[in-house]
Amino acid sequence: MTMWIVSIGQKVEDLLANPENEEWSSYSVELCGGTHISNAREAKAFALMSEEGIAKGIRRVTAVTTYRAFEAAYLASSLEQKVNEAFQTDESLLEEKAKLSVLQNQVIKAKKKTAAENIQKAVKAASEMAEAAASGGKEYCILQIGVGLDTAAVREAVVKVMEQKGMAVLVFSKDEAANKVLVCAALKPLGGKGGGGKGGLAQGQATDISKVDETMDVAASFAAMKLN
C-alpha cells in the first residue's frame, strides 16, 4: 500500500525542506493510505457505497471503482426496478380496492332502494286488500304479496293494516327460488301475542310454497268461522 502525505495550504516539498518550521502547524497535513491512480480515467466508474459517522465531526465514505462500480450500478438499477414494480403493484391493488368499494356502495344503495320499494309495494297491497275486506264487512284480511323473504316489508304491511283498520291480518310472501314462504300475522286485534315477533305480531317461514294457496283458503275459512 502506498502512503501519501496530503497538505492543504502549503506544498509538501516545502514542508519536507524545513520540517522544524512551526508555521506548518497552522496547516492541515494528513496521511492518506488509500488507493491512488495517476489519472481519473483509470477508475472507469465510481460508485458511492456508504457514508456514515464514525466519531463526533468525523464521517467515513466508502466507494468502489472499475468493475466493482459497474456491479454496484447494476445492482442499484435492479433494486430500483423492483421497488418501482412493487409500487406499481400497490397502486394496482389500490385501484382495485377503490373499484370494489364503489361496487359495494352501489350494491348497498341498490339494496336500500329495493327494500324501500318492497315496503311501499307491500303496504299498498295490504292497505287495498284491508279496505276491500272492511267494505265487505270482514274483520280479517288474508293476502299474498310478492316481496320474497323481505321480513321488514311484510311486517310493515301487517303493522299498517293493524293500525289503520284494527283487524286481524295474515300475510304470505313467497320466494320461489328458495322454495320458501314468509308468513306474518297480526294477532293483537284478537287479544293474542306474537310467537315470533313483538307488538302482537307472529312470523315464521315454511319450506313448501306449493301449499300457500291451500293454506290461505284454510286460514280464510277458519277466520270466517271464528270472527264473522
Side-chain angles (χ1 to χ4, degrees), residues 93-146:
L93 288 175
L94 290 175
E95 290 177 359
E96 292 300 322
K97 288 182 179 179
K99 291 179 182 178
L100 180 59
S101 178
V102 171
L103 291 175
Q104 288 175 333
N105 289 334
Q106 291 177 347
V107 170
I108 291 173
K109 290 180 180 179
K111 286 183 177 180
K112 288 182 178 180
K113 181 180 179 182
T114 300
E117 291 175 348
N118 281 348
I119 289 176
Q120 184 178 9
K121 177 181 179 181
V123 170
K124 183 176 183 296
S127 297
E128 291 176 352
M129 183 64 72
E131 183 65 33
S135 298
K138 295 181 180 179
E139 298 181 13
Y140 63 90
C141 176
I142 300 173
L143 72 150
Q144 181 181 167
I145 54 179

Side-chain angles (χ1 to χ4, degrees), residues 66-103:
T66 62
Y67 74 94
R68 292 190 179 276
F70 289 120
E71 289 179 351
Y74 174 77
L75 291 174
S77 177
S78 299
L79 179 59
E80 182 180 16
Q81 182 178 354
K82 290 180 179 179
V83 171
N84 290 335
E85 290 175 353
F87 274 113
Q88 290 175 359
T89 300
D90 289 344
E91 290 176 359
S92 177
L93 288 175
L94 290 175
E95 290 177 359
E96 292 300 322
K97 288 182 179 179
K99 291 179 182 178
L100 180 59
S101 178
V102 171
L103 291 175

Side-chain angles (χ1 to χ4, degrees), residues 42 51 59-60 68 86 100 104 108 142 152 168 176 188 200 225:
E42 295 179 11
E51 188 271 344
R59 310 295 296 178
R60 173 183 289 162
R68 292 190 179 276
L100 180 59
Q104 288 175 333
I108 291 173
I142 300 173
E176 295 186 0
K188 189 174 182 179
M225 180 178 63

